[in-house]
Amino acid sequence: DQQVKQNSPSLSVQEGRISILNCDYTNSMFDYFLWYKKYPAEGPTFLISISSIKDKNEDGRFTVFLNKSAKHLSLHIVPSQPGDSAVYFCAASAGYQLIWGAGTKLIIKP
Amino acid sequence: DSGVTQTPKHLITATGQRVTLRCSPRSGDLSVYWYQQSLDQGLQFLIHYYNGEERAKGNILERFSAQQFPDLHSELNLSSLELGDSALYFCASSVRLATSTDTQYFGPGTRLTVL
């Protein structure tokens, strides 16, 4: 039973354009959502997070939007840069555990 | 560099064997988490230790066990290995106890291949 789903295994975006990565969840008890970025041969690194009491959080080029009624969150990257090419994981906090999505591979084209 | 170290980087072994994966957290971090990532899947939470005590268990098999030592490094022991145990094993550390607001810093992972 996948409580956190990232339905797009990969996404290709032109450099300079907006990248939108999506994540759906099923458990309304999740209280915190996080996005991590992962390069090959490295562990995931924290990118941005959002509390369930908010609907938006912004950090530089990265913005996360939370739609609780739809149980959906999205990560917007504007403008997309070559260094953004990586796998992006969405994770949801359930007490002492993080529940992870399967990841979306973002490819930024020149 | 996250400050979390994991050894070894790669491990190749045979079915039925036992292996130990080691993790050293960032200096000052009291929490250690272990995750398993199988091919093209998300990270599966295995177990969480805080200051030497087990705090939470995820989908960890009975053949797997872990511990956190007084110097805060942690070891994950995998025994009676099966082909399906082949995966990337990540360790992460954080300063405090809660996952919600505490950033987890990940090591580079150990790639385990069971033949």
Side-chain angles (χ1 to χ4, degrees):
Chain A
D1 176 27
Q2 282 186 285
Q3 296 187 65
V4 177
K5 288 184 185 177
Q6 293 177 259
N7 291 319
S8 300
S10 65
L11 176 67
S12 188
V13 174
Q14 202 80 29
E15 182 179 353
R17 298 287 186 100
I18 182 170
S19 295
I20 300 176
L21 297 105
N22 294 304
C23 179
D24 296 298
Y25 63 95
T26 57
N27 189 342
S28 57
M29 298 301 290
F30 288 143
D31 61 350
Y32 215 74
F33 301 90
L34 305 94
W35 284 93
Y36 277 78
K37 175 173 152 177
K38 184 183 180 305
Y39 293 118
E42 295 183 12
T45 55
F46 172 74
L47 197 54
I48 192 170
S49 62
I50 187 167
S51 165
S52 61
I53 62 172
K54 297 191 172 182
D55 53 22
K56 178 182 173 182
N57 188 27
E58 196 171 347
D59 184 2
R61 296 186 299 114
F62 302 92
T63 303
V64 56
F65 295 92
L66 176 61
N67 182 335
K68 286 187 289 293
S69 60
K71 293 193 178 69
H72 176 84
L73 66 156
S74 60
L75 173 69
H76 292 212
I77 306 174
V78 184
S80 300
Q81 298 175 354
D84 296 330
S85 293
V87 176
Y88 289 78
F89 289 98
C90 165
S93 174
Y96 293 124
Q97 287 193 36
L98 285 180
I99 311 296
W100 296 72
T104 296
K105 183 175 184 178
L106 177 63
I107 301 162
I108 305 301
K109 300 179 294 186
Chain B
D1 185 358
S2 67
V4 178
T5 59
Q6 288 188 249
T7 56
K9 275 198 165 180
H10 302 276
L11 197 47
I12 301 174
T13 188
T15 54
Q17 295 297 306
R18 173 189 168 94
V19 297
T20 298
L21 313 183
R22 184 188 168 102
C23 168
S24 292
R26 292 187 325 153
S27 177
D29 283 1
L30 299 177
S31 273
V32 169
Y33 311 82
W34 285 98
Y35 292 91
Q36 178 193 57
Q37 185 187 19
S38 300
L39 191 64
D40 293 335
Q41 294 188 19
L43 280 71
Q44 297 291 321
F45 168 72
L46 295 178
I47 198 162
H48 170 207
Y49 278 85
Y50 176 77
N51 204 18
E53 290 189 12
E54 181 186 304
R55 299 299 301 197
K57 263 186 175 179
N59 297 322
I60 187 166
L61 300 171
E62 284 194 17
R63 300 183 285 108
F64 296 1
S65 64
Q67 53 184 328
Q68 187 180 26
F69 295 87
D71 67 352
L72 301 176
H73 91 271
S74 178
E75 292 181 357
L76 179 67
N77 300 297
L78 315 175
S79 61
S80 303
L81 285 167
E82 302 175 359
L83 295 177
D85 298 327
S86 295
L88 261 173
Y89 291 84
F90 288 104
C91 163
S93 73
S94 66
V95 174
R96 291 179 297 268
L97 182 60
T99 57
S100 294
T101 56
D102 208 18
T103 299
Q104 293 185 25
Y105 295 88
F106 282 78
T110 293
R111 180 171 293 282
L112 173 66
T113 303
V114 182
L115 301 175

